[in-house]
Amino acid sequence: RKEVEQDPGPFNVPEGATVAFNCTYSNSASQSFFWYRQDCRKEPKLLMSVYSSGNEDGRFTAQLNRASQYISLLIRDSKLSDSATYLCVVNWDNFNKFYFGSGTKLNVKP
Amino acid sequence: DTEVTQTPKHLVMGMTNKKSLKCEQHMGHRAMYWYKQKAKKPPELMFVYSYEKLSINESVPSRFSPECPNSSLLNLHLHALQPEDSALYLCASSQDGGTLSGANVLTFGAGSRLTVL
């Protein structure tokens, strides 16, 4: 089993839609959780850190479920500019070793 | 603008060439990383330096040789590469060993796109 698993998609949604991605992780001792966004042929950029209590940043909401070992990302009112690959990243046994999911591709259509 | 700067942005080299990729950060981060990324795949960890010492080597072939001259600089020396080494090479940095959840966050450079002929 992979350390971090994501549905690769693609998720094809119309503008204005709400879309949610899940990511599962295998190690219950995981410490830190992140969502990164990566545009085609660009570097990954931090979208949000994910905190135990859940957190929101504008149209984006991230949640952590430690009991079921998954994190989620909800995007409301999707924009064309949200089209990208969303990477789930988890850190546990070594603060400097980060485990990446395979990424979920989102296409927002007009 | 990214706070981690990588040069060159693009590099084409033959299998017998020797070249280097360079990375610089001025965020006071003490951990620096090299990742390799192929198309439609996530970044794959190669090396980690912590406080200027190599702390992780993910069984990378010796034709890739990392160097950390100081806390702000990270190099990746390339020699006798193969065409399958063509990829986007990403440098990243982080605080190192954050004591709070989420404190140790990776910041990536824009990458060096390498083509081996």
Side-chain angles (χ1 to χ4, degrees), chain A residues 22-75:
Chain A
N22 279 345
C23 164
T24 58
Y25 58 92
S26 61
N27 191 325
S28 60
S30 297
Q31 308 255 358
S32 304
F33 310 87
F34 311 91
W35 284 104
Y36 279 75
R37 171 202 168 119
Q38 186 169 25
D39 293 288
C40 188
R41 300 179 70 82
K42 300 283 191 180
E43 76 275 22
K45 293 187 177 178
L46 180 69
L47 180 66
M48 301 175 77
S49 298
V50 186
Y51 303 119
S52 296
S53 55
N55 44 304
E56 187 174 310
D57 182 3
R59 298 181 293 109
F60 299 85
T61 300
Q63 294 202 308
L64 167 63
N65 185 318
R66 284 193 182 272
S68 300
Q69 294 181 211
Y70 76 84
I71 66 172
S72 63
L73 178 67
L74 182 78
I75 305 176

Side-chain angles (χ1 to χ4, degrees), chain A residues 81-102:
Chain A
S81 56
D82 294 333
S83 296
T85 295
Y86 290 83
L87 293 160
C88 172
V89 182
V90 178
N91 174 289
W92 62 75
D93 57 2
N94 177 315
F95 282 118
N96 294 334
K97 194 158 185 181
F98 295 81
Y99 295 86
F100 284 75
S102 57

Side-chain angles (χ1 to χ4, degrees), chain B residues 48-110:
Chain B
V48 182
Y49 274 82
S50 175
Y51 289 81
E52 301 164 46
K53 294 194 186 317
L54 183 65
S55 61
I56 298 176
N57 177 342
E58 292 285 276
S59 302
V60 179
S62 60
R63 59 185 183 270
F64 295 92
S65 175
E67 178 196 18
C68 188
N70 61 54
S71 60
S72 299
L73 293 174
L74 185 66
N75 298 322
L76 186 63
H77 303 298
L78 315 171
H79 173 54
L81 294 195
Q82 305 296 311
E84 60 264 29
D85 296 322
S86 299
L88 180 67
Y89 287 85
L90 292 161
C91 175
S93 68
S94 74
Q95 293 274 18
D96 189 318
T99 54
L100 298 175
S101 176
N104 197 27
V105 179
L106 281 175
T107 300
F108 286 91

